[in-house]
Amino acid sequence: MNLADRIEGLRTRITRACEAANRDPESIELLPVSKKQPLALIREAAVLGFTRFGENYVQEGADKAIAAPDLAFVLLGPLQRNKAKPALQHFAEIQSLDRPDLAERLRRLAQEQEVSCPVWIQVDLWDEATKLGGCTEADLPALIESLGGDARLPLRGLMAIPPPGLEAAFRQMADLRERLQQTLGQPLRLSMGMSDDLEEAIAAGTDQIRIGTAFFGERVYAR
Ligand SMILES: *Cc1c(COP(=O)(O)O)cnc(C)c1O
């Protein structure tokens, strides 16, 4: 299957999920996840109108951002403090902010370099272990506090990778978003739903779905 066909199939899934949930398909942002995909394929997607892509690894994303300055890349993968500088330099947004020490490092760098970068907080309500990253609900207030309302790191929303098969997970995230919006008095977007579970995420009210394999096909891992 080629890229255009896969995207058409995805659009159909999104439309059906929206019909079932009584939502407007236009309200769902489709973020293609291009990790482990060649730049040539990303370029094909750009021709079809996509300009923002999710990446998991700082080095890989930075390389692509340098090679394609006309496109924007969003960091989705775990971020180490010692990679904060290239992350800030090359990514248009960071969705995997999950610790106060990282927030503080990003703030310091953003101030030094006089740049700004919208951030999303990655939340893990299910104790998925540290591999995937994510902040627990209990640790959220301290993390938000550490951002200090800094205009250089505006908080855009919450990102999550709910465990497969846990049906309640997407609703839990939607509830958390509601509560946090109330507490903070600001709108927050919700990014959840991947190739296998975009329907559940749309039903629960996600604003953005992050789609890798259903968009680009299987990832190409070096042998
Ligand atoms: C890889 C990845 C995706 C896309 O996963 P698919 O199952 O290929 O759609 C989305 N979000 C994050 C954080 C990822 O790491």
Side-chain angles (χ1 to χ4, degrees), residues 47-201:
V47 170
L48 297 173
F50 293 86
T51 55
R52 283 158 51 85
F53 298 89
E55 285 283 338
N56 274 58
Y57 309 98
V58 174
Q59 186 63 52
E60 181 184 346
D63 289 347
K64 287 172 176 168
I66 291 166
D70 53 322
L71 303 177
F73 293 87
V74 175
L75 182 63
L76 306 177
L79 177 57
Q80 305 301 320
R81 238 157 47 112
N82 62 4
K83 299 262 178 68
K85 198 168 178 176
L88 205 52
Q89 217 169 353
H90 297 292
F91 290 90
E93 263 184 12
I94 295 174
Q95 279 205 356
S96 47
L97 179 65
D98 62 357
R99 316 180 304 281
D101 70 321
L102 179 59
E104 280 152 20
R105 175 103 184 109
L106 288 168
R107 284 181 70 183
R108 205 158 30 239
L109 288 166
Q111 191 177 13
E112 275 170 26
Q113 298 174 21
E114 299 187 356
V115 294
S116 69
C117 182
V119 295
W120 300 54
I121 292 179
Q122 183 179 347
V123 177
D124 178 4
L125 303 179
W126 316 279
D127 206 12
E128 281 294 280
T130 49
K131 189 174 80 96
L132 298 174
C135 174
T136 64
E137 186 168 1
D139 290 338
L140 257 180
L143 177 51
I144 291 167
E145 179 78 28
S146 72
L147 279 173
D150 194 329
R152 292 192 189 279
L153 296 183
L155 177 59
R156 283 282 187 271
L158 303 177
M159 185 271 259
I161 311 173
L166 184 59
E167 214 174 292
F170 293 105
R171 299 274 175 208
Q172 284 178 281
M173 280 305 303
D175 289 348
L176 176 62
R177 185 259 290 268
E178 283 299 320
R179 276 181 277 131
L180 211 55
Q181 284 189 148
Q182 294 284 331
T183 316
L184 299 179
Q186 72 163 82
L188 292 171
R189 292 170 63 73
L190 201 47
S191 172
M192 57 184 190
M194 314 200 300
S195 293
D196 290 336
D197 54 17
L198 66 91
E199 285 83 1
E200 288 88 336

